[in-house]
Amino acid sequence: MKHDDSPEKGAGEDEDFAALFAADERKQDKRPRRVKLGDTVTGRVVSVGPAGAFVDMGVGLSEALLPYDEIRDEAGHLTVQVGDEVSARVVELEGKTGCPVLRRSMAKGAVGSAELQQAARLGLAVDGTVTGVNKGGVEVQVAGVRGFCPISQLELRHVEDPTPYVGQKLRFAISKYETDARGVNLVLSRRALLEVENRERAKETRAKLTPGAVMTGTVTSLRDFGAFVDLGGIDGLLPASEIGYKRGTKPSDVLAVGQVIEVQVLRVEETGDGKRPEKVSLSLKALAPDPFHEAVLKPGARVQGTVTRLEAFGAFAEVAPGVEGLVHISELGRDRSLRHARDAVKVGDVLELTVLAVDADKRRISLGTGTREDAVDPDALAAFQSASGGRFGTLGDLFKKKA
């Protein structure tokens, strides 16, 4: 029996159908797609003529016109040339040339007012220049029209002094557009746009927000109890106790508003609040070297300590940056009986001390006054703690036992 080695007819038909389908897809792509008023499009300049620059808006879109006044500077020089990429907003669907009309900035006068009204109707953002400060907000010039932005709508957070915004060109949403006998009443909001941006940023941040994650943030405000840090649409709290190992550190001593810092996420707690779904706790200290281990203090070492706080049972003294030890009240009153450490020393006093014992696991240091021969060997301390159930206490029993 003779076999036919030629390709099967069915396979050829499949290939022909696939080619026809691909060709039809290409035709579909080349069919003009519709753009809407207010759409922002990006395209490449294909020609420049007396009417302006014609912009190819991409596959499936017709060419659009960027009027002549949009492509020249104050001296009349062209600011674009063939091949340049431009982004602009659709302000007319069919101009005099029969194609969409684009603008990179709003016109002034009657044309600008019409475009401004169109932007208000379509909910489009507009660019404006802050020209001055008045009671309750700032004045903004948009397409030759004077508008007003309340100070509460200038930023996501409270702005104490809006003066630095004068002269800045910013983007605004239109809250109100009304006309009467006195002209146009234009009220603007920058905050509305920032809130939308913030929600988008928050989605990305939330996906990375897990305990232990190291993130970069910007300090947004300082309080006595800590600092608030913007992680990208989500604020976290950096408590004062998590800024560094040194006790009593004030956030304002170490941080500044606007400073970019790297922090570690400690906890993420759901709040059930739609506006603030999570409560985030942060730490700067977790990423820093632990001074307790860097100090390498050993029993018997002579150190100077500065008294940082006083308690009934003794005085705490800083013996290295961020490292404190306890001078028990029995050490302070070796020649007399004391009721409180303040009866012997005060905060700020510098004492000559001897390291008696170091408990690395519990981050505790026991200090004695003057030169001492009874510093505790680490092995002896471990044995004593094991026998006493891990109690650190005053070490008095251990010293007696050693004697």
Side-chain angles (χ1 to χ4, degrees):
M1 182 177 178
K2 186 177 181 180
H3 295 282
D4 185 1
D5 294 332
S6 62
E8 294 184 7
K9 186 177 180 181
E13 288 178 349
D14 287 345
E15 289 176 2
D16 290 343
F17 178 76
L20 289 171
F21 183 79
D24 186 63
E25 285 279 294
R26 289 193 292 272
K27 288 180 182 178
Q28 292 282 351
D29 287 341
K30 291 180 180 179
R31 291 177 186 173
R33 297 199 303 270
R34 293 183 63 82
V35 292
K36 304 188 297 296
L37 283 175
D39 282 355
T40 297
V41 297
T42 299
R44 200 166 296 279
V45 177
V46 293
S47 66
V48 178
F54 285 90
V55 180
D56 180 1
M57 296 188 292
V59 176
L61 289 174
S62 61
E63 289 182 358
L65 174 68
L66 191 60
Y68 194 65
D69 62 345
E70 283 283 301
I71 61 172
R72 61 180 178 174
D73 57 22
E74 294 179 358
H77 300 131
L78 289 176
T79 58
V80 300
Q81 58 185 359
V82 174
D84 286 353
E85 187 176 86
V86 295
S87 292
R89 192 177 72 253
V90 178
V91 296
E92 288 184 57
L93 292 178
E94 289 189 9
K96 294 179 180 179
T97 59
C99 62
V101 178
L102 307 175
R103 279 200 179 276
R104 291 191 289 181
S105 60
M106 282 193 171
K108 294 185 179 181
V111 176
S113 295
E115 290 181 8
L116 194 56
Q117 191 171 7
Q118 181 189 82
R121 186 176 71 253
L122 298 175
L124 304 176
V126 296
D127 292 324
T129 302
V130 180
T131 56
V133 176
N134 59 23
K135 186 178 180 181
V138 295
E139 295 179 359
V140 184
Q141 282 286 332
V142 183
V145 176
R146 189 175 79 169
F148 172 72
C149 177
I151 196 168
S152 63
Q153 297 300 308
L154 198 53
E155 287 284 357
L156 291 171
R157 297 172 180 84
H158 175 67
V159 175
E160 194 69 37
D161 178 17
T163 304
Y165 289 84
V166 175
Q168 291 191 39
K169 187 175 183 179
L170 304 170
R171 179 150 284 206
F172 298 89
I174 299 175
S175 303
K176 181 189 290 187
Y177 181 94
E178 296 177 345
T179 57
D180 54 29
R182 294 175 296 178
V184 177
N185 178 21
L186 179 65
V187 181
L188 306 166
S189 170
R190 183 166 176 258
R191 179 172 181 163
L193 298 180
L194 294 177
E195 286 176 342
V196 173
E197 292 176 8
N198 226 36
R199 284 194 290 271
E200 292 303 312
R201 291 169 62 218
K203 289 179 184 177
E204 298 178 9
T205 301
R206 197 167 282 119
K208 301 179 287 186
L209 202 60
T210 55
V214 177
M215 306 183 73
T216 300
T218 304
V219 179
T220 57
S221 64
L222 300 172
R223 300 288 187 271
D224 289 341
F225 55 82
F228 287 98
V229 181
D230 178 10
L231 301 172
I234 296 176
D235 273 2
L237 174 63
L238 175 60
S241 61
E242 288 297 329
I243 290 177
Y245 285 94
K246 189 175 178 64
R247 188 181 295 273
T249 299
K250 292 182 179 179
S252 57
D253 293 339
V254 180
L255 304 171
V257 173
Q259 183 177 347
V260 177
I261 58 175
E262 199 170 61
V263 291
Q264 187 175 75
V265 178
L266 293 182
R267 292 179 299 279
V268 181
E269 303 172 21
E270 294 186 5
T271 64
D273 183 348
K275 292 184 178 180
R276 192 186 174 192
E278 57 275 303
K279 182 179 178 182
V280 184
S281 297
L282 306 171
S283 176
L284 196 61
K285 181 171 71 175
L287 301 178
D290 187 343
F292 189 94
H293 299 300
E294 289 199 336
V296 195
L297 295 172
K298 296 182 179 180
R302 294 293 307 280
V303 293
Q304 277 194 339
T306 302
V307 177
T308 56
R309 53 198 172 105
L310 303 170
E311 302 291 348
F313 53 83
F316 286 92
E318 186 177 56
V319 294
V323 180
E324 287 183 345
L326 174 65
V327 185
H328 194 265
I329 193 169
S330 60
E331 290 290 326
L332 295 172
R334 297 175 72 182
D335 299 328
R336 56 197 173 106
S337 177
L338 301 176
R339 292 178 177 273
H340 196 287
R342 61 171 172 262
D343 296 334
V345 294
K346 62 181 182 298
V347 172
D349 282 354
V350 178
L351 307 178
E352 295 295 332
L353 302 167
T354 297
V355 177
L356 298 180
V358 177
D359 187 341
D361 292 335
K362 295 184 179 180
R363 298 174 56 83
R364 292 175 177 173
I365 300 173
S366 178
L367 301 169
T369 54
T371 302
R372 300 291 294 274
E373 301 296 333
D374 53 355
V376 180
D377 178 81
D379 294 335
L381 174 62
F384 171 72
Q385 288 180 315
S386 176
S388 60
R391 179 176 57 85
F392 189 64
T394 65
L395 301 178
D397 293 339
L398 178 58
F399 291 146
K400 291 177 182 177
K401 184 177 179 181
K402 185 178 179 182

